[in-house]
Amino acid sequence: MRGNNDYGGNRMMPDSRVVSYAGIRIYMTHSHRLGYYSRLEKLAALAKENDCQIAVFGHTHVPLIKKVNGVLLVNPGSMRFPRDGNSPCYAVIEVDDNDQIHAKLIHQEDWPFKPKNSWTGGWW
């Protein structure tokens, strides 16, 4: 998905995409165009409009797993630019033999990159 810092040839990338895995439909977006207020509710509504059970999003770099209006929302955080004091993080989503969806956040405290500029939260 195209994010707010994707320029140049990336203009052809879509703002969102729907994919299917094991019969589960997943709405994916960077979410920077949804604004700050009611972002989670807007994501859940977009997922439902697209007949999706999961919405995966980014932009905030803050990890989150939360069910909103029946939709599982997953923000994996960021391995390179974590924010809000979080450690580098990614998400794993699994579908078990009973078609139950499980999501978890994996924090990597020993990620080899160290912040050079801690006041910005950046890892550059």
Side-chain angles (χ1 to χ4, degrees), residues 2-124:
R2 179 178 34 181
N4 57 303
N5 288 315
D6 290 324
Y7 307 105
N10 291 327
R11 289 186 199 140
M12 299 304 290
M13 294 172 64
D15 285 331
S16 64
R17 176 171 286 168
V18 174
V19 298
S20 293
Y21 175 77
I24 307 294
R25 289 177 53 89
I26 305 165
Y27 180 82
M28 299 186 308
T29 185
H30 185 251
S31 84
H32 64 289
R33 297 186 185 273
L34 296 179
Y36 179 77
Y37 297 102
S38 303
R39 178 189 309 267
L40 301 182
E41 291 78 10
K42 290 174 187 174
L43 281 165
L46 286 167
K48 282 186 169 194
E49 286 174 20
N50 287 279
D51 196 30
C52 295
Q53 297 82 20
I54 302 171
V56 177
F57 68 104
H59 185 59
T60 65
H61 296 224
V62 177
L64 171 86
I65 295 176
K66 184 176 185 175
K67 205 157 205 178
V68 174
N69 297 329
V71 176
L72 180 64
L73 304 181
V74 179
N75 185 329
S78 174
M79 287 298 289
R80 180 89 185 196
F81 301 111
R83 295 198 180 134
D84 278 4
N86 291 294
S87 59
C89 186
Y90 63 95
V92 174
I93 301 171
E94 299 174 322
V95 180
D96 68 20
D97 293 337
N98 297 319
D99 295 328
Q100 297 296 307
I101 302 167
H102 305 277
K104 61 183 172 182
L105 298 170
I106 310 295
H107 289 269
Q108 297 293 306
E109 304 296 337
D110 59 349
W111 185 243
F113 298 100
K114 301 294 180 206
K116 292 181 181 175
N117 216 348
S118 60
W119 64 271
T120 63
W123 288 75
W124 51 91

